[in-house]
Amino acid sequence: MFIVAMSMASLAACSATSAVLGDAIRPDTAGRATTVPTTSTVVPLPTPWDAEMLDEVNSHRAEHGVEPLVRCDTLQQAAQGSAEVLARWGKLSHTGPDGSEPRDRARDAGYRGSSYVGENIASGYGDAGHAMDGWMDSPGPRANILEPTFTHVGFGRASGDGPGSPYWVQKFGANATC
């Protein structure tokens, strides 16, 4: 089990870049997290961990002669949403508690025009590098990372109260608009 400690400022900064529907959590002028009602989706911004993960994914692909992936906002939104569901649920599964599958969640986030979507999930890794190591050591996730058909990617990370926290998600897609 990994234990991750975050300062309130770090938590507020992470929350401000999360993809959420409904209320958004934002730091107020004093740096405290506050809830701000919204009717639109907050598109996640690149963070240091997700930039690191994109670099690692594309480095592995380059080592195997595979074209780099491009970060896609709709897949990023789908991945972040999936990570948040896993964290609340406290369970790793490609099938959501509502019966949805990875391609359903990508489509619902706006990734349309492709039926070819892949997903990697993990929990308990303290940072992006260790999550990537775990995926590269596992045949299915490794195949997703190195799949030449995939052209787009999005990442999600969320913490929960359960022992598997944090939860990590990679969403892959091809032949759709981001």
Side-chain angles (χ1 to χ4, degrees):
M1 175 186 345
F2 293 91
I3 298 174
V4 178
M6 297 180 87
S7 69
M8 183 52 117
S10 296
L11 179 60
C14 289
S15 296
T17 61
S18 296
V20 296
L21 295 173
D23 292 343
I25 298 174
R26 305 281 169 125
D28 65 11
T29 56
R32 297 178 302 248
T34 63
T35 302
V36 179
T38 179
T39 57
S40 62
T41 301
V42 176
V43 176
L45 301 174
T47 61
W49 70 262
D50 99 346
E52 174 189 352
M53 189 169 283
L54 181 61
D55 288 345
E56 286 203 39
V57 164
N58 284 333
S59 175
H60 287 291
R61 289 173 69 89
E63 288 172 13
H64 292 86
V66 181
E67 292 293 317
L69 296 174
V70 175
R71 186 183 173 281
C72 173
D73 286 343
T74 54
L75 287 178
Q76 190 81 7
Q77 182 180 334
Q80 184 61 40
S82 293
E84 291 171 8
V85 166
L86 293 174
R88 280 193 306 273
W89 200 18
K91 178 179 170 182
L92 277 181
S93 177
H94 292 289
T95 302
D98 61 354
S100 65
E101 296 296 329
R103 79 171 159 261
D104 301 325
R105 294 185 295 274
R107 183 195 60 239
D108 291 348
Y111 193 73
R112 293 187 173 82
S114 175
S115 61
Y116 195 54
V117 173
E119 178 180 74
N120 289 344
I121 57 176
S123 67
Y125 294 102
D127 59 49
H130 286 103
M132 278 297 302
D133 291 344
W135 283 321
M136 289 305 292
D137 288 341
S138 180
R142 178 185 177 89
N144 278 339
I145 292 167
L146 300 177
E147 174 56 54
T149 306
F150 290 135
T151 55
H152 302 128
V153 69
F155 308 112
R157 177 186 72 177
S159 294
D161 295 330
S165 195
Y167 291 84
W168 300 87
V169 177
Q170 294 178 323
K171 294 267 193 210
F172 302 91
N175 304 320
T177 55
C178 288

